[in-house]
Amino acid sequence: MAGEQRLEDCLPVRPFPVLKGRRVAPGWWWSATNHALVHYGFKAMRTQVMMLDHDPQVVALACRPVELLWRGRRGKTISHAPHLMARMADGSGLLVDCASRFGAGRRLMRRALHLEAAAAVAGWHYRLVGPPPPVVETNVRWLAGYRHPRCARGGLAEVAECFAAPLALVEGVRRLGDPIAVWPSVFHALWAGVLSAPLDRPLHERALTVASGAGAGR
């Protein structure tokens, strides 16, 4: 059954071309979820890789691991490889196509209906996603700079204990010790979900933060 295949272990079925005039060329994102590199093809896709990597419900990521084929009008074969695949904590799968800030084209929107139906048959989900809100994207991108486990410095339990009750970020950092040494651990804790702060507002030193009870994080 397609829904039982470990697509997260597969290589991309099709490469991404390097297009003249595009500001972001195909590249690689080091995933804290996979502890490995995940390929992306363009800027909007890189953003969605980042957002999925930050999602605590995602346990694995893959770039274009599957291609779907179906019969269109007049029996013409149509093929489409969704940009991303995510394995969710409940074992289900999620296929994702990434729209730019200008929106999705008509062809992709038409195909999305078939992809959603095919994913449902396999017990999966499909999303055609646009950019996240600018403030959320900016905050997550900042925290992503501290996503590697080395930033935690083995101090996540201490960080969680310090923020057991809601506390301004800077106040907690001062209680924990030398700010230069502590800030990376706190930002990593926010990335990993050990700490929780409102990311729909600009993240700053007075942002109210509390331990989420999520454990050691990623």
Side-chain angles (χ1 to χ4, degrees), residues 140-166:
V140 174
R141 193 171 300 284
W142 172 263
L143 297 178
Y146 300 88
R147 67 189 181 277
H148 198 283
R150 65 172 172 262
C151 295
R153 300 172 183 262
L156 289 185
E158 186 181 1
V159 169
E161 183 179 356
C162 178
F163 287 91

Side-chain angles (χ1 to χ4, degrees), residues 42-51 96-104 128-138 140-141:
F42 48 92
K43 183 179 180 181
M45 186 175 171
R46 182 183 65 184
T47 297
Q48 295 305 328
V49 171
M50 177 184 74
M51 298 303 296
V96 178
D97 275 316
C98 310
S100 72
R101 61 190 178 91
F102 301 108
L128 173 56
V129 295
V135 172
V136 173
E137 181 179 349
T138 298
V140 174
R141 193 171 300 284

Side-chain angles (χ1 to χ4, degrees), residues 24-58:
V24 176
W28 298 89
W29 172 272
W30 187 85
S31 166
T33 303
N34 289 14
H35 292 274
L37 295 172
V38 175
H39 191 42
Y40 62 82
F42 48 92
K43 183 179 180 181
M45 186 175 171
R46 182 183 65 184
T47 297
Q48 295 305 328
V49 171
M50 177 184 74
M51 298 303 296
L52 289 169
D53 199 21
H54 181 248
D55 188 338
Q57 294 303 310
V58 174

Side-chain angles (χ1 to χ4, degrees), residues 41-88:
F42 48 92
K43 183 179 180 181
M45 186 175 171
R46 182 183 65 184
T47 297
Q48 295 305 328
V49 171
M50 177 184 74
M51 298 303 296
L52 289 169
D53 199 21
H54 181 248
D55 188 338
Q57 294 303 310
V58 174
V59 297
L61 284 169
C63 167
R64 264 188 175 172
V66 64
E67 186 171 26
L68 287 78
L69 294 91
W70 64 91
R71 294 289 183 183
R73 293 181 179 179
R74 301 176 184 175
K76 181 181 178 182
T77 299
I78 300 174
S79 65
H80 183 80
H83 295 141
L84 294 167
M85 173 266 170
R87 179 71 64 185
M88 310 306 289

Side-chain angles (χ1 to χ4, degrees), residues 146 148 150-153 178-189:
Y146 300 88
H148 198 283
R150 65 172 172 262
C151 295
R153 300 172 183 262
D178 178 8
I180 297 298
V182 170
W183 275 115
S185 296
V186 171
F187 287 140
H188 179 80

